[in-house]
Amino acid sequence: MGEKIYIFDTTLRDGEQSPGASMNVEEKLQVAKQLAKLGVDVIEAGFPIASEGDFEAVKEIAMEVTGPQIAALARTNEEDIVRAWEAIKYARNPRIHTFIATSDIHLKYKLRMSREEALEKAVKAVELARSFTDNVEFSAEDATRSDWDFLVKIFTEAIRAGATVINVPDTVGYTVPEEYYNLIRYLKENVPNIDKAIISVHCHNDLGLAVANSLYAIKAGARQVEATINGIGERAGNAAMEEIVMILKVRKDLFPYYTDIVTEQIYPSSRLLQQITGIRVQPNKAIVGDNAFAHESGIHQDGVLKKAITYEIMTPQSVGWPTNKLVLGKHSGRHAFREFIEKMGYDLSDDQFNRAFKLFKALADKKKKVYEEDIEALIAEEILRLSEKYRFISANVTSGTDMLPVGTVILEVEGKRVKEAAFGDGPVDAIYNAIKKATGKDSVHLVRFDVSSITGGTDAVGEVTVRIEEEGKVSMGQGSDTDIIVAAAKAFINALNKLEYRKRGKSELKKEGI
Ligand code: KIV
Ligand code: ZN
């Protein structure tokens, strides 16, 4: 069986930093509950000092999610660490994760600090964190571009101050497997008190090597891996957790280690995250992409039918791919509906469940067959987004070959009803102009607009994904409805809400390069 590799999930912290991935408190809670089912060892729930929303989400997760350790990120400032503790103190096993940059590039240009000052700050931060909890992780940001002997020094002192996990991030996705292997070995051999801490790795995917680098680090002695579902994260993303876990499982001959991940929960976790963030994985994405187990060529199909192992190195069931598509209809009752949503990874309160059931019944009246994808869209939009600044009430467009399209919307803006109408070049343009008027968001640009039908047939629920931009900040939004114009309006409003959340929450930290 070999040694255990601890899985530290940072989907809700580093993952959430990817453009368009911001989630509200309720959405983060749903993801955290699913991560607990997935069996991750640590959930990094957020960066509490970053915003009120981050703080609330971390606190809520700490109070509600049991099983994994709950971590919160903090810079080495006293204020950050106290705030992180305030948010996670309710967890059964809370972890404070504090970090400071160690590369000369970051020290000189970002922090304007000497190595000695950084060392002192790191030690003080770990000591302060240890006064709250004995579960403290210290990260040397940009470790892979840092001086190796300075890393030895700072990790030695951090462990002496009480860090139980030391993390060696490849912050900018710069390293390659051999170099990273050598660095981890160097630390293992030269940090004198390394036996008192677990070595952790945290890889970004700028050169497409995040997973490979993480695996080589394990070979060199790392025992905690930081990763995200679907590999979401800053820029090109973080190491994809599902890939690391399945490589360790499928290639045990080369990697004699194990994780506590319930691999059958991988696919539901991936779907849930895609639905909530609107960030879809590419069809050929390993493990969770639509084509990951699709055999197109005749020779392959023939082989798989005779014996799956001919072309499948793991079964779709082992990562939780549904064998049969679940379908509900208007006669389905509460019990079937509950089972259906639990299988999809949602864990709703009674009130949320009752509202979702009512909406499902209304949808089933319009559509003969209701698929998983329809319910996913319904829950993501109508249940989890309730507390946002802008809320969709209704949208109508009049358009045709001989008239200028005119759109009318009714929204709730911070609880107040607003009605507006506007002309446009087409029906979507008209409705978007009306929404811009109602929200006062004139400077928002639509960068991308995609429509797809999430289930088949002319009664299908259509899904619209938009990407918008305002003053250099981007945001993605998703909306679905049997009426495509309504779906477009909902997607735009969802993107505006995310933009709002992003702007409100992170502006102060952005100034400091976080
Ligand atoms: O990439 C990075 O260096 C980080 C640290 C805060 C761990 O995300
Ligand atoms: Zn990172």
Side-chain angles (χ1 to χ4, degrees):
M1 206 175 187
E3 279 181 68
K4 171 167 166 156
I5 302 300
Y6 289 85
I7 301 294
F8 176 109
D9 181 276
T10 184
T11 306
L12 295 172
R13 201 279 297 169
D14 222 348
E16 209 231 359
Q17 282 174 223
S18 51
S22 46
M23 296 171 235
N24 67 31
V25 176
E26 190 47 54
E27 290 168 335
K28 284 186 186 171
L29 190 58
Q30 289 297 319
V31 173
K33 286 180 178 172
Q34 177 57 27
L35 290 172
K37 273 200 217 161
L38 178 63
V40 306
D41 297 286
V42 187
I43 295 175
E44 186 165 48
F47 192 7
I49 196 83
S51 71
E52 204 49 51
D54 268 42
F55 178 85
E56 276 312 313
V58 177
K59 185 171 158 192
E60 196 77 17
I61 291 167
M63 291 200 293
E64 290 220 18
V65 180
T66 51
Q69 300 170 40
I70 308 297
L73 186 69
R75 289 165 297 183
T76 48
N77 310 328
E78 183 179 339
E79 203 194 344
D80 279 41
I81 293 169
V82 172
R83 193 80 175 139
W85 176 246
E86 281 301 309
I88 51 164
K89 65 182 177 194
Y90 306 94
R92 295 218 182 129
N93 193 349
R95 174 182 297 187
I96 296 177
H97 176 194
T98 184
F99 74 100
I100 193 160
T102 48
S103 67
D104 290 338
I105 302 172
H106 277 228
L107 288 171
K108 180 168 175 201
Y109 297 108
K110 187 181 85 171
L111 299 178
R112 297 178 210 290
M113 204 183 269
S114 67
R115 289 186 186 179
E116 288 64 37
E117 282 169 307
L119 180 68
E120 198 183 313
K121 276 181 87 64
V123 169
K124 280 206 175 125
V126 173
E127 281 171 355
L128 178 61
R130 271 303 294 242
S131 70
F132 296 123
T133 169
D134 54 13
N135 187 352
V136 175
E137 173 169 338
F138 169 71
S139 286
E141 192 191 7
D142 205 19
T144 52
R145 292 192 298 168
S146 302
D147 178 76
W148 287 17
D149 289 321
F150 181 52
L151 287 178
V152 166
K153 203 165 174 182
I154 203 162
F155 284 138
T156 305
E157 293 309 317
I159 296 170
R160 190 169 294 143
T164 46
V165 178
I166 55 130
N167 186 31
V168 190
D170 182 27
T171 305
V172 290
Y174 178 69
T175 199
V176 297
E178 192 183 358
E179 180 185 61
Y180 205 38
Y181 175 94
N182 290 335
L183 171 59
I184 303 299
R185 280 236 72 85
Y186 191 79
L187 295 173
K188 228 178 133 52
E189 281 158 14
N190 291 284
V191 174
N193 47 5
I194 198 70
D195 57 311
K196 295 195 172 60
I198 290 179
I199 300 180
S200 168
V201 286
H202 174 114
C203 296
H204 281 266
N205 206 30
D206 299 67
L207 292 173
L209 288 170
V211 169
N213 288 336
S214 305
L215 290 167
Y216 268 73
I218 291 173
K219 270 189 174 298
R223 291 294 173 263
Q224 174 179 285
V225 176
E226 306 196 352
T228 59
I229 303 290
N230 300 337
I232 67 165
E234 282 273 11
R235 308 179 308 279
N238 288 58
M241 187 222 285
E242 61 280 3
E243 295 177 22
I244 295 175
V245 167
M246 290 315 288
I247 292 166
L248 294 180
K249 190 165 174 172
V250 172
R251 295 310 308 268
K252 270 207 171 68
D253 53 332
L254 297 179
F255 297 95
Y257 313 101
Y258 74 96
T259 70
D260 281 338
I261 294 296
V262 181
T263 58
E264 291 76 12
Q265 290 295 335
I266 286 179
Y267 183 76
S269 309
S270 165
R271 289 279 325 177
L272 182 71
L273 188 70
Q274 291 183 59
Q275 189 57 45
I276 284 179
T277 58
I279 300 178
R280 300 285 180 197
V281 299
Q282 80 268 23
N284 59 322
K285 163 83 178 65
I287 321 288
V288 293
D290 278 352
N291 297 344
F293 294 93
H295 302 279
E296 184 72 22
S297 104
I299 297 174
H300 288 208
Q301 286 172 352
D302 179 53
V304 169
L305 287 173
K306 285 180 177 145
K307 192 83 180 160
I309 200 175
T310 51
Y311 287 100
E312 275 182 5
I313 55 168
M314 59 197 148
T315 63
Q317 294 81 356
S318 68
V319 293
W321 270 79
T323 35
N324 294 312
K325 279 251 170 224
L326 295 170
V327 185
L328 290 177
K330 67 175 174 187
H331 301 298
S332 307
R334 296 173 71 84
H335 182 70
F337 185 67
R338 191 179 285 282
E339 256 187 25
F340 196 83
I341 59 167
E342 279 173 5
K343 276 212 178 93
M344 291 188 314
Y346 289 100
D347 182 350
L348 303 183
S349 67
D350 288 346
D351 175 51
Q352 289 173 323
F353 176 81
N354 290 336
R355 274 189 285 126
F357 186 65
K358 234 172 154 176
L359 290 164
F360 150 67
K361 282 290 185 186
L363 182 64
D365 276 341
K366 284 197 223 162
K367 275 187 102 223
K368 276 201 207 84
K369 288 181 178 168
V370 178
Y371 295 91
E372 265 179 60
E373 292 87 337
D374 298 326
I375 302 291
E376 279 176 339
L378 179 153
I379 293 178
E381 275 171 27
E382 308 290 344
I383 307 294
L384 304 182
R385 293 181 194 160
L386 271 186
S387 58
E388 293 173 330
K389 178 167 180 182
Y390 309 116
R391 235 173 93 58
F392 172 84
I393 305 290
S394 66
N396 290 288
V397 181
T398 319
S399 74
T401 46
D402 301 323
M403 62 177 297
L404 199 55
V406 58
T408 320
V409 288
I410 303 180
L411 309 183
E412 254 177 34
V413 180
E414 288 177 311
K416 278 205 196 103
R417 253 174 200 242
V418 182
K419 187 173 179 179
E420 282 295 350
F423 292 109
D425 291 336
V428 173
D429 192 44
I431 223 62
Y432 279 20
N433 286 340
I435 293 173
K436 282 186 189 176
K437 265 183 155 178
T439 56
K441 289 277 174 188
D442 285 338
S443 55
V444 167
H445 301 288
L446 183 64
V447 184
R448 218 184 80 196
F449 181 90
D450 290 321
V451 193
S452 59
S453 125
I454 50 179
T455 48
T458 45
D459 65 350
V461 169
E463 184 175 71
V464 173
T465 306
V466 296
R467 191 179 172 93
I468 61 172
E469 184 266 335
E470 188 186 34
E471 293 163 9
K473 293 201 170 51
V474 287
S475 149
M476 312 249 300
Q478 234 186 353
S480 45
D481 199 274
T482 46
D483 181 327
I484 213 71
I485 296 296
V486 173
K490 286 180 176 176
F492 193 44
I493 290 164
N494 179 227
L496 288 175
N497 276 317
K498 288 188 171 176
L499 196 62
E500 207 46 40
Y501 177 82
R502 215 172 165 77
K503 280 173 76 175
R504 205 166 2 110
K506 316 266 160 118
S507 54
E508 284 308 304
L509 292 165
K510 281 286 174 218
K511 276 187 229 149
E512 296 178 40
I514 305 289

